[in-house]
Amino acid sequence: MKYDLIVVRLGELTIKGRNRGRFEGLMLTRIRQSLAAFPALEYERTYGRIYIRLGDENYEGIEARLKDVFGVYSFSPAIRSGHALEEVQEKALALMNSLEPAPSTFKVTVKRAWKVYPHDSQEMNHLIGAHVLRNTPPLKVDVRHPDVELKVDIQPEGVYLSCEVVPGAGGFPLGMNGKAMLLLSGGIDSPVAGWMAMRKGLEIEAVHFHSYPFTSEQATEKVLSLTQRLAHYGGSIKLHLVPFTELQTRMVQSGHEHLIITLMRRTMLRIAERLAEKHGALAIVTGDSLGQVASQTLGSMNVIGRTVSLPLLRPLVMMDKQEIIRHAERIGTYETSILPYEDCCTLFVPKSPATNPNLRIVEKVEGYLGSELETLIEAAVQGTETIVMTPSGRAKPKREAASDESSARVEQPVDASAGKPASDQDEDRWF
């Protein structure tokens, strides 16, 4: 069946009040950006709906992209008819006859949004259903559990007929709710947290901490690949690569082995907050899941989170590991996340990390480091390198005081296929 258009239904936007028009306008912009590879498409926005006229474009290719657009609740490929009853009946029959495999049962559901139409919804259900039955003898009506539901939407501009409802990504259009910094490790959790943040309308910029030469070039490439995959959903994402070697080494030398993880994560949050202020972000997103590792007990999260004043968002906090893995597989980050390249979160892990650290003691240890800690944090912020990742790869990078050595290192090509799947390396990952 050659479809005429796609009917796009919007999700949470329908609950908006006076700003609804602006939100729907942003939704249309995001759909246009996602489908930019199909120049023949035409768009029309009505109350709570967006119509995409296909012209000569291929529906299957558009369907694959439209599924991943945040803010789209569902959509249906449809054919359009005039208001004349005979034309609607013939289009309905043609649509039913085009279905493969042929259904055994069906029902008709008519929505009469245009109230001046001469037949009400119940009449149209009978008039269309009876016509299909007379001309398709094997079919039977089943109003409870039909193989196919023929939806008929009567609008002022025409009648739309469809038999399929494709679930969308849901949520809000990207960027509608501001910008946040995502702490992105090479593990399973943080990319899922980033996807969930984007689904709620947050534009994200990713922050990754590397400890070269303790961490390998492959570990950085792995994070570049994860950012590229997230950019599939967000158009383009900035990745901030933060040098963390000096800070991590100094914390190991502090003599408080059981507090290393707590100190390290508090320092990461401080750096992320400074980058957020610099780039106009209003929150920090992490991949914390309550009780998953030592640093994600309630006591640890309390002490670590007190470091910053920005809102700390934890989308995964009540999810278990298997649930997170299922999400990672669905969004396409899992296979990259399990590649066996260590990041700085898996280095220098103590045998017995504190699960309920004392805030007063942690602050006292940080006080011993004094101005040295502040100097090292500022050096890390100034040494941060920013790369823009798009769905097709790396865009022109914007460097922020990056050294020639680090520049050469991150300029290696992204290759997520290298390496073998790792065993469970997420035990002491944070993000």
Side-chain angles (χ1 to χ4, degrees):
M1 184 71 181
K2 178 68 171 65
Y3 294 109
D4 300 322
L5 73 161
I6 301 173
V7 181
V8 181
R9 304 173 190 88
L10 308 182
E12 294 186 63
L13 291 182
T14 57
I15 66 175
K16 295 299 178 183
R18 295 180 180 179
N19 292 324
R20 177 170 172 166
R22 180 169 62 88
F23 295 147
E24 289 182 351
L26 177 59
M27 187 71 256
L28 178 58
T29 298
R30 296 306 185 199
I31 291 175
R32 284 179 180 271
Q33 291 172 345
S34 178
L35 301 180
F38 304 91
L41 297 178
E42 296 181 358
Y43 302 86
E44 179 184 354
R45 191 183 105 198
T46 63
Y47 190 77
R49 299 281 180 89
I50 293 174
Y51 297 103
I52 305 174
R53 294 186 177 86
L54 296 176
D56 294 327
E57 298 288 4
N58 180 19
Y59 165 71
E60 284 71 22
I62 296 169
E63 176 190 17
R65 298 199 180 195
L66 200 55
K67 284 180 179 179
D68 293 333
V69 178
F70 297 119
V72 173
Y73 175 72
S74 68
F75 59 92
S76 297
I79 58 175
R80 182 172 178 172
S81 169
H83 290 115
L85 176 60
E86 294 77 10
E87 183 181 355
V88 176
Q89 289 174 324
E90 290 305 318
K91 290 286 182 76
L93 178 61
L95 180 57
M96 291 297 298
N97 287 335
S98 70
L99 299 178
E100 293 182 1
S104 300
T105 60
F106 84 113
K107 67 180 281 189
V108 179
T109 302
V110 175
K111 177 182 177 181
R112 191 182 66 151
W114 189 41
K115 300 305 182 184
V116 301
Y117 194 74
H119 305 285
D120 64 26
S121 298
Q122 292 301 321
E123 287 181 283
M124 288 296 289
N125 282 339
H126 173 73
L127 291 169
I128 295 173
H131 182 75
V132 172
L133 280 174
R134 283 195 301 268
N135 291 278
T136 316
L139 266 180
K140 297 183 182 299
V141 174
D142 184 346
V143 296
R144 294 185 181 276
H145 304 288
D147 294 338
V148 170
E149 182 177 3
L150 174 59
K151 293 180 177 291
V152 181
D153 187 7
I154 303 175
Q155 297 286 343
E157 66 275 10
V159 179
Y160 302 96
L161 301 96
S162 62
C163 289
E164 180 182 4
V165 177
V166 182
F172 294 103
L174 189 70
M176 173 178 150
N177 289 323
K179 183 194 291 186
M181 307 300 285
L182 168 69
L183 300 187
L184 182 65
S185 74
I188 297 170
D189 300 346
S190 56
V192 177
W195 182 89
M196 289 186 166
M198 289 192 291
R199 184 179 180 273
K200 295 301 289 183
L202 286 174
E203 176 189 352
I204 64 168
E205 294 186 10
V207 181
H208 177 71
F209 298 87
H210 64 85
S211 293
Y212 187 79
F214 298 119
T215 55
S216 66
E217 296 176 358
Q218 289 91 339
T220 301
E221 292 166 6
K222 177 180 176 180
V223 172
L224 288 170
S225 295
L226 289 171
T227 308
Q228 181 178 344
R229 180 57 191 169
L230 289 177
H232 169 78
Y233 301 95
S236 66
I237 295 178
K238 288 182 180 179
L239 171 64
H240 305 286
L241 296 171
V242 182
F244 204 62
T245 308
E246 295 297 326
L247 276 162
Q248 198 165 19
T249 302
R250 183 64 186 90
M251 290 174 197
V252 171
Q253 295 170 348
S254 68
H256 297 272
E257 182 183 10
H258 67 295
L259 291 177
I260 288 175
I261 300 298
T262 302
L263 294 169
M264 184 169 64
R265 282 150 175 69
R266 282 170 60 90
T267 303
M268 287 178 173
L269 282 182
R270 289 189 175 100
I271 294 172
E273 185 172 47
R274 296 193 187 188
L275 291 174
E277 293 170 352
K278 184 176 182 180
H279 294 274
L282 300 178
I284 298 172
V285 179
T286 76
D288 290 329
S289 176
L290 184 62
Q292 186 176 150
V293 293
S295 64
Q296 294 174 20
T297 63
L298 194 58
S300 289
M301 287 196 293
N302 176 44
V303 171
I304 292 168
R306 286 173 180 256
T307 311
V308 294
S309 58
L310 285 179
L312 196 56
L313 308 181
R314 299 179 170 106
L316 314 184
V317 70
M318 296 301 178
M319 297 172 63
D320 60 38
K321 193 65 177 182
Q322 289 305 313
E323 191 176 359
I324 296 170
I325 288 174
R326 287 195 296 271
H327 276 281
E329 290 172 337
R330 183 162 64 88
I331 68 176
T333 59
Y334 179 72
E335 293 300 326
T336 302
S337 292
I338 62 175
L339 293 176
Y341 305 126
E342 290 188 333
D343 56 34
C344 66
C345 293
T346 56
L347 299 174
F348 310 119
V349 176
K351 293 181 179 179
S352 300
T355 59
N356 189 27
N358 184 291
L359 178 61
R360 184 178 57 83
I361 294 175
V362 171
E363 289 177 338
K364 184 178 291 187
V365 172
E366 291 174 340
Y368 292 152
L369 298 175
S371 60
E372 182 183 3
L373 178 61
E374 175 61 28
T375 300
L376 290 173
I377 288 175
E378 184 60 27
V381 172
Q382 294 301 320
T384 296
E385 182 174 5
T386 300
I387 296 174
V388 178
M389 297 300 294
T390 69
S392 59
R394 187 180 314 189
K396 184 179 179 181
K398 177 182 177 183
R399 296 176 178 84
E400 299 176 3
S403 67
D404 291 340
E405 178 182 351
S406 63
S407 176
R409 178 168 51 82
V410 299
E411 286 296 334
Q412 299 300 320
V414 177
D415 182 8
S417 63
K420 298 179 181 179
S423 58
D424 187 1
Q425 295 184 356
D426 253 20
E427 179 60 28
D428 286 290
R429 294 189 191 280
W430 181 27
F431 308 142

